[in-house]
Amino acid sequence: MTRHYHWLIITVLILAAAVSCSDHQTSGNSDGFTDADGYNHADSLVSDIGDTRDFQRTLTVIDSLEQNGELSLVKTIFYRTITYNMMGQQSNSLRLYYQLASIDVSQLTTQADLESYIYSYNNYVRLLCDMRRYDRALREAYTADRKLKAAGYDSFAEHHDIAQIIGECQLYMGQADEAATTFQKSLQAVHTRLATYKDPLDYRECQKTMNAIAKAYIRCGRYEEAVPWISLQDSLYAVADAHPQRDTVYIDEMKAEINYSKALLAHAQGRNADAEKAFKAYLSTQTAKQVGSIIDSNEYLMLTEHYAEAAHNYELLDRFLREGGYKATLENFGRYMLPKFRANYLAGNKDTALLIANKVAEYYDSALIQQKIIDADLLTTVYDTEGKERQIAEQNARLSNQRLIMLTVVTFIIIVFFHIYMIQRRRAYKKLDAANRELILANERAEESARMKTKFIQQISHEVRTPLNVLSGFTQVLAAPDIEISSEELQSISHKIVENSERITHLVDKMLDLSQINKNTYLDCNDSVGPADIAAQAVKDSGILQASHLEFDMHISPEAKALTFTTNKKAASKALTLLLDNAIKFTHPLAFKGKQAVDSRQNVTLSVSIAEQQIVFTVEDTGIGIPPEQAENIFKEFVQLDEYSDGTGIGLSIARSLAQQLHGDVVLDTTYTSGARFVMTIRNS
């Protein structure tokens, strides 16, 4: 029932798998692990220390074993994330889970490393689902499934546990039919497991999967579809209860979870007497008496309007958070503090609710600061260059302003609340409810900001790592003392070094351009230039003439050829260059994903004309096109419609900002359906 216990069960599962592997070996050490499958003394040591629940010591031991080479990277990720999750520090786990993307599954040569990889990804997807980031959870699950299949391993997505999570995400995203199919795959995997393994732990884990599916249906209001899953649990419970090696702890946990789900379902269906009976059966278990279970049971108490009892249970929340080592993060803020406030408010404990509201404001500020620290640390790890350090400083300045504004708003709400409270208590209670809704919206906005920053970090990491790997590789080749390189090979290497150096330079230039734009730097428009000159410079800088996968045409009207006007030539040509870069990127045959042959050539046309005191530059291509509903979204910073394509998602944003500073604009012509057509205008002055 509790989050701590959930992660502990997973740890036990892995160690049980390790011992199972050792049973099939001809030799092993005294700790029950065998080197043949990759389990050794280090795993035993981590297990023993983890049993003491001394999390800081556990982390220290894991670090020491990794430095000594006794733990591989993938096992280090697994053990550290398990520890962080048991401490309630999901943000730290997320930072480690990002490293899974860089691991080559085909290089995992031991059973231990493979299982650590699979269960780490399992926990990663589960955490994303718990955080309600369902679309991202699905992407990560399918990514792991694809990698494992490519390396020759069984389907990750059809394991009963991960299939349940995938189905749950689909259900919450409104894909009920797809979820039902996935849940059936999970049930088939349960049957497969129980046909071979019949230990008490196997029955317990399979029952947990069924219970999660039942609760997902209940919370989505699909009550009839939850009924068979609860019936399946009853059958499984009966078998486990009659098992020769009956485990009383597992039986108690199963009874608690099944009756709690029955209580939720009966209440939702209006069968209040049945609901109370099932809830009393739940309360009779030892599991229900654990602190975490008491906190979790408030879900039912709030639904059945037992607000006073829920408020009483929340008196244990501070102890629960303190013992679990939970930090004041945005996730924990929304999961625990806001429900505690609501329970006390609805129970009529107005003074207590007021104190909680004040504490909520303090927690929110602390959580926002903590989130910025985590983001800054992660950014430094991924991209540690001088230019990036300048951007971090600028980003921290912007975040400080955001924090100051948010703190001012929250403080203002609290001051107003106290002022009204002194005048009239009833009006104060109404204001408190409004403040609660405002805090919830602010929490959602902060979560969206965190997701955007994480996505940006991943994009920047990819864009920088690729050319750096190329430069590093060729540098090692050139530095080798005995290598012989022909003049043609040396010329090719030199070309690649220059090409990738320029790629990094262009990326840094983009970031500097974005930094200048965000500072609202004024552009001097003192250059006397012709539209044709701007177009020629953009064509040269973009390298579009060297793009072998497309045909490029440029049309300049007679009026544009004859015109000379005053503007900022560098900014104008830069904006047009970014539009041409976008056309090169999204007219590449690979972008069609099978819609067109790889050797086909696409078309890009640049037209320059004069209209209503404006110079009009039109970039038209026959690429993949852009949905009309995304016409404005694509100009936002760090937005990419295809997350798997190269780029940082800032090119179009910079292009529009530069054009607007030249008293013009960049827009997408949504009437054009054969690709994409961008129209850039600047004032003729």
Side-chain angles (χ1 to χ4, degrees), residues 23-75:
D23 290 341
H24 297 286
Q25 301 298 323
T26 57
S27 62
N29 59 30
S30 60
D31 297 310
F33 295 101
T34 63
D35 292 333
D37 281 335
Y39 295 102
N40 50 42
H41 173 74
D43 300 277
S44 178
L45 184 60
V46 172
S47 174
D48 291 341
I49 297 176
D51 288 342
T52 68
R53 308 289 290 235
D54 186 342
F55 299 129
Q56 291 300 331
R57 184 185 174 203
T58 303
L59 292 172
T60 301
V61 170
I62 293 171
D63 288 341
S64 176
L65 292 172
E66 181 190 23
Q67 292 173 3
N68 293 337
E70 296 182 63
L71 282 181
S72 63
L73 172 61
V74 68
K75 284 206 284 186

Side-chain angles (χ1 to χ4, degrees), residues 461-475:
S461 173
H462 172 73
E463 288 294 306
V464 173
R465 187 184 295 114
T466 300
L468 284 179
N469 287 341
V470 173
L471 294 175
S472 175
F474 282 131
T475 301

Side-chain angles (χ1 to χ4, degrees), residues 448-495:
E448 179 61 25
S449 174
R451 285 194 290 270
M452 289 294 293
K453 286 180 286 185
T454 299
K455 177 181 175 183
F456 165 65
I457 292 168
Q458 292 173 333
Q459 292 167 345
I460 287 296
S461 173
H462 172 73
E463 288 294 306
V464 173
R465 187 184 295 114
T466 300
L468 284 179
N469 287 341
V470 173
L471 294 175
S472 175
F474 282 131
T475 301
Q476 294 177 23
V477 171
L478 294 175
D482 300 326
I483 192 169
E484 295 182 0
I485 303 176
S486 66
S487 58
E488 292 80 2
E489 292 173 332
L490 184 60
Q491 183 178 3
S492 175
I493 291 174
S494 299
H495 175 73

Side-chain angles (χ1 to χ4, degrees), residues 316-329:
L316 299 173
L317 181 60
D318 289 341
R319 170 188 165 190
F320 172 72
L321 297 177
R322 182 177 62 255
E323 291 179 351
Y326 283 73
K327 291 186 176 180
T329 64

Side-chain angles (χ1 to χ4, degrees), residues 328 333 356-367 407 410 414:
F333 172 82
I356 296 172
N358 187 37
K359 194 171 184 180
V360 162
E362 295 176 3
Y363 271 39
Y364 179 82
D365 184 46
S366 175
L407 180 60
V410 175
I414 294 175

Side-chain angles (χ1 to χ4, degrees), residues 467 470-471 474 490-506:
V470 173
L471 294 175
F474 282 131
L490 184 60
Q491 183 178 3
S492 175
I493 291 174
S494 299
H495 175 73
K496 291 294 185 181
I497 290 175
V498 171
E499 177 183 327
N500 284 275
S501 297
E502 290 177 349
R503 182 173 175 182
I504 295 177
T505 301
H506 291 160

